[in-house]
């Protein structure tokens, strides 16, 4: 009996100690993501990463919606219909603070998150990716990464740094980050000057122009992925910001070499104005006029998300049109006599709410989940950039500048032929045309900033001179708190 | 069962029939003379016996050689009576001095309470039963030392803020580990809708026998890496040998809201807002003040009467709840069982906020033979958590425009939820229609539309079951193997109408997601119990445990309703999208051991050790331990000689020390840096989306605990006093990188440290103990001091926002967690009516909204009216620059005072709970004084009107959202939260046996109780017991748009057969 007990006890003890455990469960492998070490292992993963750079660029807090919204609502052409801070009431009132989450903090974070992805991609291609996909494709991809990075820095400069015109770029710009960050320890970085950041932007866009493909296989890809002409087009905008009009002309002429209308790009993607501007903003959104647009689908995560959508801000925040966050200011461009009632941009792209007679930009009319593409740059902007550069650098009324201006005007308003009397009138006409043509595409604030103009009064909000606090945004409070080398505006 | 008993007794009878025998009868009573049913009567030295009937009588046939009978019953002293010549033997059993037999659960076993060196508080299940709560923890407030419970809001089934000895983590969970019948249980809110779904609601409070709360290292270290927040052992009821006992419990209760902030009526609102508009020269430039400016205007209803809407009346209600519970328990000497079924249908104070639970529980234990015992448990619970829409009270909801708590405060009273034609009053821009007000917006959503049309439900199916076998080959050794499952399936279902509200923008939205949280646990233990040389008692435990959890979730979200008649996901919709995708797995592999030794029941030693290997970490294993010692001085001879025995019948000194860990809430894959998938225009993407930390490790807590427990005057007075100290190191902080670094997440890193220390006092006494009248009282007091001692290098603060929008909680070195960080106020300037703020230097700065530059006014000015400047430059007061660390949010003292008065058959229980020494940020108060279209609290009627007015409410200027603290968090809205609550009062009456016995009822009790009957506090909001951020560690003490707790009146009946 004693022996038996001993056996039983040892058996039980043995059971306790060697209970069959499953040690392999201690090292689970993530099933829904790819580990860091293998992200550049296959051509498909690399191709997907290229898409992710654009996907970051098009998040709702950036070029999926809020970047354009911020560019419009700071200026005078819109009135705030709600007093909602989440949808930019403070941005509109020109009193957004550094702790303001919805635009000041989020746009800063979204831009840098895009930049870091570009940097990680560029680093990863050098380390491994190029050998996986080959030099040619690698350079195409690197061109895309450079372009996305450049466009992101450009938007950052517009809101968080003094315009280039203020001291020729000598004022504090933004931290210039060019290497990918995956771990702690890189929080601190001082601001480069505005000029230094612009230099990098130009460098990136030059690289992109040199390495991007001329075209892609489909109109959709030509609209949503960067190609050579995308880089050129963006350069016209960058040089406008730097007031380097000679360079604008050089780049602009690459895309509109003709002396008179019709204008079109003769190499690469054949960018040209569409006969009817409404088609540019209608499905499939992939005309040659749209040089770069952010594509949207109804799949969750592939559209801007709640309270970020252009349509939500400008025309409808529900099923009925005319219920948006921002209406058109009757004393803004809407009330300008030069914008005729028969202009297609007014008849087709402005919506009137029958109940309260308020008017709204109707470029983005597709309701929830808001799948209208978000424009980044259009051919008509390039034409107007070129026109303005020509107008500013040539005395009198420059013929090509006027031709470019009228090409844009007459496409939508055939009855009107603009005929400014002198250089100043020509420049003003071009600036006015930009407000009409690019309304709701986020360019108005850019135009005010680059020219160091006062932000005009609107509704209950007083004007903001370039010397006043709040002319540009403050720096994100999070950045100031976590980046010891950062300084506020 | 009865049949078996019959058979069994038949067998017993047969086996002894051959011997000479006689039949003994008698009656068993307690010390009051009441009959004791189900008492056991056994012939001494045999297993032969019977149990008493309802009237206490018994009858037992005994052999001639039987010498004595042994009488025993649960919770009563065992009595032995010699058998003489008489055939009638009565016995009187006295109730045990409670703790002699009292055992506590210590993890993988039990121990006599007196022998425990660790710090374990016990709460009897009876204290928690028949309460108007959804889960037991809600009723735990004030019941045990060291335990702080805050019921955060009045939404049904919200997990309470549950803290043992302070908040012990920053980024991970501070919720204690809950172990139900030996098996760890999930905790937290498993609902992803606006109806809260506390996982612990699956345990019917009526099924709980006892709760043991382990606090120090000696008591908790057996749970190693999960013990830092304390361990709560739940023991469900089991059957007792004897005749089957049936209990039936039912309650009905009515819960009503209290403390809803009083807002202006329609006339007051209209006048006040017009005056405010007149004060804003920007909106009023065309209609100067005093010229009959009417931005706001009354409207009439269909009968021509002015509309005066009390929005709260449309949202709140008196909720009616009913609860039924039936259980059957019993068994014989070898097998016992407990079967229970419960049904609870509860209504919250918010319309359509309901909780319906159906649950069953079956416990069985069977001794197969002299060395094998098997048993198990089957528990199934179905809970339906229902809400129409967001209450604004759950974590993350505070600033939602749908939140009912908020809309009733904000919406203008001069508009109605209905138009005069009976249709909903809603405007095209998705807010309540402005009616005669000449504004586009005078409110948020129309709550009536949401109440009528929306749905936010979460249905939980929760199975908690196990099977075990125990082999006890010798007296001193037992081997036990338990295999348990815990399957929690939650089905979230929402519908948002396209008419109005959150579903408006998407033209309707419906979601269904299923979350499957499965766990199995297999535990094997060997237990040694040995006493040698009669005075040395050793017991030791060794064991292994595997704990495997998987979580899988998936679902569908569909938007743009194709037909207004549809309200379910399966109907016609335009957009299908995935929703609620979850995938996770983890595995904990452990080996553990315990060693207890005592010498002569005088000196006690205990040691626990556990090695845990956890899948979420790269370096898998770590070892945790705890050791304790106790000394029962009252057993020493000198104690007796000193004559102290007459005063102190027990006097124990104990202490413990050890190191335990915390992993609760850590992600399954945090060590990996990874790339995740997304979409770009329909094409797949792959982007760096998580920066992991391969060096991540457990948070560790070093706990010290020293205390005394003593009993005086024969246990009439029992006192415990404990000093505790918990030093937490390697706190995992999600260290944020500067946004310009572009890293997708704050990187989890073991960097922080903090401590919690304090005292615990528990005093239990029977000041009065008479035959007819008695008073038992337990007072418990816990103090806690929390201080963060280190954050990450370069990280000076952790700012924690409320619902991502309002940041008033700042965690910094040298302060307790989540300190209020506010700009200080200096009242209202009598000359101008401007809000006075104090800058960093303490100098007053006046704020004027919409200043008139032409009159030389400035937005920010010095008291003399000149522009406020810093370093010669025009400046503003900001929180970042001028905010100060204003006050702590974690209470410094908390506890409860529990009193039971008994007079004859009446019982009166009164529980007071209290928390002292903390601040609450009453964010709702900022909203209640916002000068946009928002409705305001009544006190705005005392606002500044003319120079010289001394008031606390500044001059109203339409659109001003700074002076009230919305745009700039200020101390004006921070209040001391100290409170004493009459948490529970229960009066019960036990029906006399002469009535009950007629109905063959062994006992009947009727009772009436009230909950949250009164609060003594200076806090101006509805209830200082509140948390807008749920169980958040670093953002407690915020009351922002929250639905407060309700007040409940309950009647109930308990019957036993």
């Amino acid at each position: 009996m004693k022996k038996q007990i001993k056996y039983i006890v040892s058996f039980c003890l043995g059971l306790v100690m060697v209970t069959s455990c499953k040690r392999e469960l201690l090292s689970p492998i993530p099933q829904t993501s790819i580990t860091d070490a293998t992200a550049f292992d296959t051509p498909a993963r690399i191709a997907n990463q290229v898409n992710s750079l654009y996907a970051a660029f098009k998040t709702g807090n950036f070029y999926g919606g809020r970047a354009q919204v911020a560019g419009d609502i700071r200026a005078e052409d819109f009135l705030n219909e709600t007093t909602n801070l989440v949808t930019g009431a403070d941005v509109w009132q020109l009193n957004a603070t550094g702790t303001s989450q919805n635009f000041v903090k989020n746009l800063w974070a979204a831009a840098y998150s895009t930049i870091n992805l570009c940097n990680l991609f560029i680093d990863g291609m050098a380390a491994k990716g190029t050998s996986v996909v080959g030099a040619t494709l690698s350079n195409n991809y690197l061109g895309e990464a450079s372009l996305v990075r450049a466009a992101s820095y450009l938007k950052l400069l517009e809101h968080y740094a003094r315009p280039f015109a203020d001291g020729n770029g000598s004022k504090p710009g933004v931290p210039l980050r060019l290497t990918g960050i995956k771990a702690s320890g890189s929080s601190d970085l001082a601001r480069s000057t505005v000029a230094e950041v612009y230099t990098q932007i130009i460098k990136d866009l030059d690289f992109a122009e040199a390495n991007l493909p001329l075209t892609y296989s489909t109109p959709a890809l030509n609209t949503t992925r960067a190609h050579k002409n995308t880089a050129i087009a963006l350069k016209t905008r960058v040089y406008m910001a730097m007031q380097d009009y000679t360079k604008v002309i050089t780049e602009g002429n690459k895309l509109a070499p003709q002396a008179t209308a019709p204008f079109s790009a003769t190499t690469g993607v054949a960018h040209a104005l569409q006969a009817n501007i409404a088609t540019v903003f209608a499905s499939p959104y992939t005309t040659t006029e749209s040089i770069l647009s952010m594509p949207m689908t109804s799949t969750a995560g592939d559209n801007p998300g709640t309270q970020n959508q252009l349509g939500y801000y400008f025309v409808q925040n529900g099923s009925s049109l005319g219920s948006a966050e921002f209406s058109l200011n009757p004393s803004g461009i809407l009330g300008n006599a030069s914008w005729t009632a028969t202009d297609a941009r007014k008849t087709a792209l402005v919506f009137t709410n029958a109940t309260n007679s308020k008017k709204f930009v109707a470029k983005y009319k597709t309701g929830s989940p808001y799948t209208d593409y978000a424009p980044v740059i259009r051919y008509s902007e390039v034409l107007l950039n070129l026109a303005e550069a020509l107008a500013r650098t040539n005395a009198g009324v420059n013929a090509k500048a006027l031709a470019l201006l009228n090409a844009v005007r007459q496409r939508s308003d055939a009855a009107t032929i603009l005929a400014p009397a002198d250089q100043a009138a020509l420049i003003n006409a071009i600036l006015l045309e930009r407000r009409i043509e690019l309304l709701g595409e986020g360019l108005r604030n850019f135009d005010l900033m680059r020219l160091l103009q006062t932000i005009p009064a609107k509704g209950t909000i007083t004007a903001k001179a370039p010397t006043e606090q709040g002319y540009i945004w403050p720096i994100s409070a999070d950045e100031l708190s976590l980046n010891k080398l950062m300084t506020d505006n | 069962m009865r049949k078996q008993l019959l058979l069994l007794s038949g067998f017993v009878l047969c086996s002894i029939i051959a011997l000479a025998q006689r039949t003994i009868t008698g009656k068993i009573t307690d010390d009051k003379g009441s009959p004791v049913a189900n008492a056991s009567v056994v012939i001494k030295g045999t297993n032969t016996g019977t149990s008493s009937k309802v009237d206490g009588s018994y009858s037992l046939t005994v052999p001639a050689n039987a010498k004595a009978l042994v009488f025993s019953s649960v919770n009563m002293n065992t009595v032995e009576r010699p058998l003489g010549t008489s055939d009638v033997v009565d016995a009187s059993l006295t109730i045990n001095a409670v703790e002699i037999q009292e055992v506590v659960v210590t993890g993988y076993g039990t121990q006599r309470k007196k022998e425990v060196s660790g710090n374990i508080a016990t709460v009897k299940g009876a204290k928690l039963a028949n309460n108007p709560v959804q889960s037991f923890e809600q009723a735990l407030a004030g019941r045990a030392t060291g335990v702080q419970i805050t019921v955060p809001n009045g939404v049904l089934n919200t997990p309470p803020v549950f803290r043992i000895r302070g908040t012990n983590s920053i980024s991970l969970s501070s919720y204690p580990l809950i172990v139900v019948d030996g098996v760890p249980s999930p905790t937290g809110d498993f609902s992803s809708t606006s109806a809260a779904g506390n996982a612990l609601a699956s345990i019917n409070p009526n099924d709980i026998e006892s709760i043991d709360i382990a606090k120090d290292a000696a008591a908790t270290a057996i749970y190693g890496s999960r013990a830092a927040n304390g361990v709560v052992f739940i023991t469900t009821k089991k059957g007792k040998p004897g005749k089957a006992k049936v209990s039936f419990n039912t309650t009905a209760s009515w819960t009503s809201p209290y403390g809803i902030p009083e807002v202006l009526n329609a006339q007051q609102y209209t006048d006040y807002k017009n005056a405010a508009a007149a004060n804003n020269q920007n909106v009023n430039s065309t209609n100067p003040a005093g010229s009959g400016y009417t931005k706001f205007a009354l409207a009439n209803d269909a009968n021509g009467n002015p509309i005066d809407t009390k929005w709260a009346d449309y949202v709140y209600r008196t909720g009616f709840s009913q609860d039924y519970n039936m259980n059957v328990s019993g068994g014989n000497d070898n097998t016992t069982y407990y079967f229970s079924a419960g049904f609870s249908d509860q209504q919250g104070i918010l319309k359509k906020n309901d909780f319906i639970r159906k649950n069953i529980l079956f416990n069985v234990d069977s001794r197969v033979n002299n060395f094998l015992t098997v048993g198990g448990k089957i528990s199934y619970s179905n809970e339906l958590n229902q809400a129409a829409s967001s209450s604004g009270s759950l974590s993350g909801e505070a600033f939602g425009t749908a939140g009912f708590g908020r809309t009733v405060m904000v919406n203008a009273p001069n508009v109605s939820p209905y138009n005069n034609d009976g249709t909903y009053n809603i405007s095209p821009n998705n807010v309540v229609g402005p009616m005669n007000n000449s504004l586009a917006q005078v409110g948020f959503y129309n709550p009536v539309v949401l109440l009528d049309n929306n749905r936010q439900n979460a249905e939980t199916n929760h199975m908690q079951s196990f099977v075990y076998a125990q082999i006890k080959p010798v007296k001193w050794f037992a081997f036990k193997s338990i295999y348990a499952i815990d399957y929690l399936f939650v089905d979230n279902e929402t519908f948002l109408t396209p008419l109005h509200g959150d579903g408006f923008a998407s033209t309707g939205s419906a979601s269904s997601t299923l979350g499957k949280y499965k766990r199995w646990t297999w535990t094997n233990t060997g237990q040694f119990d040995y006493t040698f040389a009669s005075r040395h008692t050793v017991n030791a435990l060794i064991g292994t445990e595997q704990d495997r959890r998987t979580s899988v979730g998936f679902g569908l979200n569909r938007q743009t309703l194709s037909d207004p008649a549809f309200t379910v996901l399966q109907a016609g919709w335009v957009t299908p999208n995935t929703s609620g995708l979850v995938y996770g797995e983890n595995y904990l592999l452990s080996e553990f051991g315990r060693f207890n030794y005592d010498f002569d029941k005088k000196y006690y030693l205990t040691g626990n050790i556990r090695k845990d290997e956890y899948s979420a970490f790269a370096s898998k294993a770590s070892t945790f331990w705890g050791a304790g010692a106790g000394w029962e001085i009252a057993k020493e001879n000198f104690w007796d000689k000193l004559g102290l025995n007459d005063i102190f019948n027990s006097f124990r000194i104990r202490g413990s020390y050890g190191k335990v860990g915390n992993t609760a809430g850590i992600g399954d894959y945090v060590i990996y840096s990874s790339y995740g998938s997304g979409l770009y225009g329909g094409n797949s993407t792959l982007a760096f989306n998580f920066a992991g930390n391969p060096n991540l490790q457990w948070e560790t807590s070093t706990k010290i605990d020293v205390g005394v427990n003593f009993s005086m005057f024969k246990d009439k007075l029992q006192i415990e006093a404990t000093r505790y100290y918990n030093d937490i190191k390697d706190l995992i902080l999600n260290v944020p990188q500067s946004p310009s670094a572009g890293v997708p997440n704050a990187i989890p890193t073991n960097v922080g440290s903090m401590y919690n220390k304090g005292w615990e006092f528990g005093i239990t006494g029977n000041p009065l103990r008479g035959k007819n009248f008695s008073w038992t009282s337990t007072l418990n007091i816990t103090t806690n001091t929390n201080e963060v001692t280190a954050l990450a290098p370069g990280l000076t603060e952790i700012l924690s926002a409320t619902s991502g929008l309002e940041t008033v909680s700042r965690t910094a070195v040298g302060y307790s967690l989540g300190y209020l960080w506010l700009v200080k106020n200096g009242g209202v300037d009598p000359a101008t009516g401007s809000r006075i703020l104090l800058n960093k230097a303490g100098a007053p700065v006046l704020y004027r909204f919409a200043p008139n530059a032409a009159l030389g006014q400035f937005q920010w000015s010095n008291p003399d009216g000149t522009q406020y400047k810093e370093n010669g430059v025009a400046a503003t007061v900001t929180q970042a620059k001028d905010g100060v660390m204003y006050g702590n949010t974690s209470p410094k003292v908390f506890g409860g005072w529990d009193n039971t008065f008994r007079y004859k058959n009446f019982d009166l229980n009164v529980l007071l709970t209290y928390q002292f020494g903390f601040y609450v940020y009453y964010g709702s108060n900022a909203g209640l004084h916002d000068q946009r279209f928002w409705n305001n609290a009544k006190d705005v009627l005392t606002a500044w009107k003319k120079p010289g007015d001394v008031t606390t409410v500044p001059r109203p200027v339409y659109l001003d959202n700074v002076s009230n603290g919305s745009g700039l968090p200020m101390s004006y809205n921070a209040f001391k939260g100290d409170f004493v609550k009459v948490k529970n009062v229960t009066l019960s009456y036990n029906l006399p046996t002469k009535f009950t016995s007629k109905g063959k009822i062994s006992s009947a009790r009727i009772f009436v109780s009230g909950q949250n009957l009164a609060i003594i506090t200076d806090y101006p909001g509805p209830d200082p017991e509140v948390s807008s951020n749920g169980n958040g560690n670093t953002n407690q003490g915020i009351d922002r748009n929250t639905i407060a707790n309700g007040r409940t009146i309950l009647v109930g009946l308990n019957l036993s057969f």
Side-chain angles (χ1 to χ4, degrees), chain A residues 5 8-9 12-13 15-17 19-23 25-28 30-36 39 45 48-49 51-52 54-55 58 83 108 112-113 116-117 120 177 181-185 187 224 294-295 297-300 302 317-319 323 368 370 460 478-479 481-484, chain B residues 282-283 428-429 441 473-474 477 479 504-507 522 524-526 528 542-544 546 548 559-560 575 577 583 585 587 589 613-615 620 669 672-675 679-688 691 736-743 747 794-795 797 804 932-933 959 961:
Chain A
I5 288 168
I8 293 170
V9 171
C12 293
L13 270 175
L15 255 182
V16 173
M17 300 320 292
T19 302
S20 66
C21 60
K22 303 186 174 178
R23 300 204 73 87
L25 295 178
L26 282 171
S27 305
Q31 299 294 308
T32 57
S33 59
I34 304 290
T35 56
D36 184 30
R45 286 183 186 172
N48 285 347
Q49 283 202 51
N51 280 330
S52 79
Y54 295 100
K58 85 151 205 190
T83 48
W108 176 271
Y112 271 109
S113 142
N116 192 43
L117 285 185
L120 284 169
R177 301 218 180 238
I181 302 169
K182 279 183 191 173
S184 306
S187 280
T224 60
M294 294 294 103
T297 69
S298 58
T299 307
D302 204 20
N317 66 14
S319 50
S323 59
S368 176
Y370 301 94
T460 56
D478 293 346
E479 185 70 26
S481 149
L482 296 163
N483 178 351
K484 296 294 165 244
Chain B
N282 291 334
V283 294
N429 54 340
Q441 187 177 9
V474 285
F477 176 76
F479 165 78
F504 178 72
S506 53
T507 324
W522 188 13
N524 292 289
T525 54
F528 303 83
I542 53 168
T544 64
Q546 302 175 64
R548 167 73 171 167
Q559 300 190 341
T560 311
T575 317
N577 273 311
Y583 190 93
E585 57 175 322
Y587 183 60
L589 178 61
E613 294 179 82
Y614 192 45
S615 62
K620 306 291 178 198
Y669 306 108
Y672 299 104
S673 287
S674 58
Y675 281 68
L679 286 171
Y680 176 63
N683 300 303
S684 61
T685 69
L686 184 67
F688 183 65
Q737 311 298 305
S738 67
S740 71
V743 178
I747 301 170
L795 183 72
E797 59 180 10
R932 288 175 277 182
F933 57 81
L959 294 181
N961 70 339

Side-chain angles (χ1 to χ4, degrees), chain A residues 6-83:
Chain A
K6 266 184 195 164
Y7 285 142
I8 293 170
V9 171
S10 5
F11 174 73
C12 293
L13 270 175
L15 255 182
V16 173
M17 300 320 292
V18 298
T19 302
S20 66
C21 60
K22 303 186 174 178
R23 300 204 73 87
E24 69 278 9
L25 295 178
L26 282 171
S27 305
I29 295 158
Q31 299 294 308
T32 57
S33 59
I34 304 290
T35 56
D36 184 30
T38 60
F40 287 87
D41 278 8
T42 69
R45 286 183 186 172
I46 293 168
N48 285 347
Q49 283 202 51
V50 176
N51 280 330
S52 79
L53 308 180
Y54 295 100
F57 191 74
K58 85 151 205 190
T59 54
N61 281 318
F62 207 29
Y63 269 97
R66 285 193 187 243
Q68 292 92 328
V69 169
D72 270 309
I73 64 173
R74 295 195 84 223
E76 75 276 35
D77 290 332
F78 289 91
L79 292 179
N80 183 223
E81 285 297 312
T82 62
T83 48

Side-chain angles (χ1 to χ4, degrees), chain B residues 686-765:
Chain B
L686 184 67
F688 183 65
N689 71 344
F690 188 79
N693 177 358
N695 300 316
L696 203 67
Q697 280 297 301
W698 285 267
E699 294 185 352
T700 54
S701 284
T702 306
K703 292 178 189 275
I704 304 173
D705 188 285
V706 181
V708 292
N709 291 32
F710 54 91
S711 298
M712 300 168 72
F713 317 118
K714 293 184 179 162
D715 287 341
K716 265 190 187 160
L717 187 61
Q718 298 167 34
I719 294 175
E720 59 163 296
T722 306
R723 177 75 171 150
Y724 69 89
Y725 182 84
N726 183 18
D727 191 20
I728 310 148
K729 289 215 164 56
D730 296 334
L731 279 169
I732 295 173
L733 299 185
N734 293 319
V735 179
Q737 311 298 305
S738 67
S740 71
V743 178
N745 57 296
I747 301 170
T749 317
N750 294 96
V751 280
S753 61
M754 68 175 176
Y755 66 77
N756 279 298
K757 63 178 184 184
W759 288 94
E760 288 176 359
F761 300 100
I763 304 162
T764 301

Side-chain angles (χ1 to χ4, degrees), chain A residues 53 56-57 62-63 107 110-115 118 145-158 174 201 234:
Chain A
L53 308 180
F57 191 74
F62 207 29
Y63 269 97
L107 196 135
Y112 271 109
S113 142
T114 308
I115 289 165
C118 293
S146 302
L147 182 135
V148 172
R149 181 166 73 180
S152 304
Y153 273 120
L154 183 64
K155 191 68 189 176
L156 283 172
L157 286 177
E158 178 193 334
V174 294
I201 291 172
L234 270 179

Side-chain angles (χ1 to χ4, degrees), chain B residues 811-832:
Chain B
T811 296
V813 172
Y815 295 93
S816 59
L817 285 173
Y819 222 77
L820 293 182
W821 178 52
L822 303 165
V823 175
K824 273 195 163 178
N825 285 112
V828 171
D829 178 35
T832 60

